[in-house]
Amino acid sequence: QAKADGRNTICLFLPEMQAAVSARSALEGDLRQSLQHDEMLLYYQPVVNEDAHLTGVEALLRWHHPQRGMVSPAEFIPLAEQTGLILPIGQWVLEMACAQLAAWAQQADTRGLSIAVNVSARQFRHPDFVRQVTGALGRSGASPQRLKLEITETLLLSSVEDIVAKLAQLKAVGVGFSLDDFGTGYSSLAYLKRLPLDQLKIDQSFVRDVLTDPNDAAIVRTILALAESLDLQVVAEGVEVAGQLDYLRRHGCKAFQGYLFGRPVPVEELVITPAMRGVRIDAII
Ligand code: C2E
Ligand code: MG
Ligand code: MG
Ligand code: MG
């Protein structure tokens, strides 16, 4: 019996597993120091209106790791959530975005732009979340009306009362809210009705095949109709080709984000005016 247990114990130390565990903890250690080492960057991706004019951007985090190069947020955001490092990192993102808004407010051509910031479930659930947002706004002097927070359906697994209370407090200050990756998670229509949201973001997985997959097309049209009847704005994510834009426009979508209009870039590379990257909407419709 003891021998069998011993064998089982040995299984826990298979070299591959050991390697995976130490790679993860190495990455975690690096992530812990990433802010002090100035390795985090905020990129900005254009969000445009029906006329392909820039109305705002989404802030997207980039980690420039000294050895690994650029590490994708898909890789390090889950790790940051598990370890709680998302709290300081998320706070840094908020401070950076608000500082950028305050800088943009100084110039006529950038004054009206908004910044959307992704907020992870763990960050949102933190008891100090509201104060962290209002603190970042206050310290920077940014206009709360220009800040949009993107939450996801994973959040909806926690108490609705708590979520509604936080949304309401921040909305009272002027901050807007989007439900990101809409349609990929758990949200029920009952939730959707209770949450004081401003916007839904159609997940890029539905936009990708909207021209070829009738099911994706049906989902996209349903989300647009739902948003219309609930009086919510919609942003379509992952718009890469003119045909997708055309389809979305024909079904009433009025805001777009995707490589067709621009990839996430450092702020200096953002093309503010005129219409983005020569996308001629008249030529498309
Ligand atoms: P998301 O919030 O849904 O952001 C959109 C993702 O789609 C971004 O990936 C963006 O680069 C990508 N994308 C935009 N347009 C296109 C397109 O036309 N085609 C394709 N294939 N992709 C496109 P990214 O930057 O890798 O970020 C991945 C996710 O990481 C984000 O998804 C968001 O959930 C999370 N994330 C990024 N920055 C932050 C942050 O500051 N805080 C938190 N909590 N999460 C973040
Ligand atoms: Mg987002
Ligand atoms: Mg999304
Ligand atoms: Mg996503």
Side-chain angles (χ1 to χ4, degrees):
Q1 187 63 45
K3 232 174 193 172
D5 284 342
R7 228 178 266 140
N8 285 340
T9 311
I10 287 165
C11 285
L12 291 174
F13 298 100
L14 284 174
E16 311 86 275
M17 292 174 75
Q18 187 59 55
V21 168
S22 50
R24 189 185 174 283
S25 63
L27 197 64
E28 181 186 329
D30 292 348
L31 191 60
R32 204 169 284 284
Q33 302 187 12
S34 60
L35 286 178
Q36 292 91 304
H37 291 179
D38 279 331
E39 291 162 5
M40 288 294 172
L41 308 164
L42 261 201
Y43 276 26
Y44 295 96
Q45 184 179 32
V47 178
V48 304
N49 66 13
E50 326 168 66
D51 304 317
H53 287 124
L54 187 70
T55 56
V57 296
E58 177 173 4
L60 292 160
L61 195 54
R62 296 291 179 263
W63 179 17
H64 189 251
H65 188 283
Q67 282 89 42
R68 295 164 198 250
M70 284 292 185
V71 183
S72 162
E75 217 176 309
F76 72 82
I77 294 286
L79 183 60
E81 288 224 26
Q82 288 155 27
T83 55
L85 289 168
I86 194 66
L87 298 171
I89 292 173
Q91 187 65 35
W92 180 86
V93 172
L94 276 169
E95 304 284 345
M96 290 291 288
C98 288
Q100 189 60 62
L101 281 174
W104 279 347
Q106 302 300 313
Q107 281 171 13
D109 57 341
T110 51
R111 193 163 293 152
L113 297 176
S114 61
I115 299 184
V117 170
N118 292 284
V119 172
S120 82
R122 180 150 182 186
Q123 206 185 341
F124 187 94
R125 285 195 196 109
H126 194 281
D128 279 339
F129 178 66
V130 171
R131 205 143 29 98
Q132 282 159 1
V133 176
T134 53
L137 285 165
R139 281 186 287 279
S140 62
S143 162
Q145 283 76 14
R146 300 278 167 255
L147 181 65
K148 306 214 180 312
L149 299 180
E150 297 193 356
I151 58 175
T152 62
E153 292 163 287
T154 48
L155 198 65
L156 302 176
L157 297 170
S158 52
S159 143
V160 191
E161 285 74 22
D162 180 58
I163 300 169
V164 171
K166 283 175 170 167
L167 292 179
Q169 285 176 63
L170 284 167
K171 279 190 64 84
V173 182
V175 176
F177 283 92
S178 304
L179 194 54
D180 202 357
D181 306 339
F182 183 69
T184 61
Y186 298 94
S187 64
S188 75
L189 299 181
Y191 270 137
L192 206 53
K193 207 183 72 178
R194 288 189 60 185
L195 300 180
L197 296 166
D198 303 280
Q199 187 178 71
L200 301 178
K201 297 191 82 168
I202 305 179
D203 190 66
Q204 52 181 278
S205 63
F206 305 123
V207 173
R208 189 187 311 127
D209 299 325
V210 75
L211 296 175
T212 51
D213 184 335
N215 293 326
D216 285 334
I219 291 170
V220 165
R221 292 195 308 273
T222 303
I223 295 174
L224 287 166
L226 180 70
E228 165 98 57
S229 48
L230 292 176
D231 203 18
L232 296 168
Q233 300 156 24
V234 184
V235 179
E237 292 194 273
V239 181
E240 294 187 355
V241 297
Q244 293 165 337
L245 173 65
D246 181 35
Y247 187 92
L248 289 158
R249 281 172 54 95
R250 277 194 283 115
H251 290 91
C253 191
K254 296 186 173 70
F256 312 91
Q257 186 179 343
Y259 296 167
L260 181 62
F261 306 101
R263 289 176 181 259
V265 288
V267 71
E268 316 79 54
E269 289 173 36
L270 207 56
V271 181
I272 305 284
T273 49
M276 307 301 305
R277 310 255 163 123
V279 175
R280 297 247 322 279
I281 206 128
D282 300 343
I284 294 163
I285 52 178

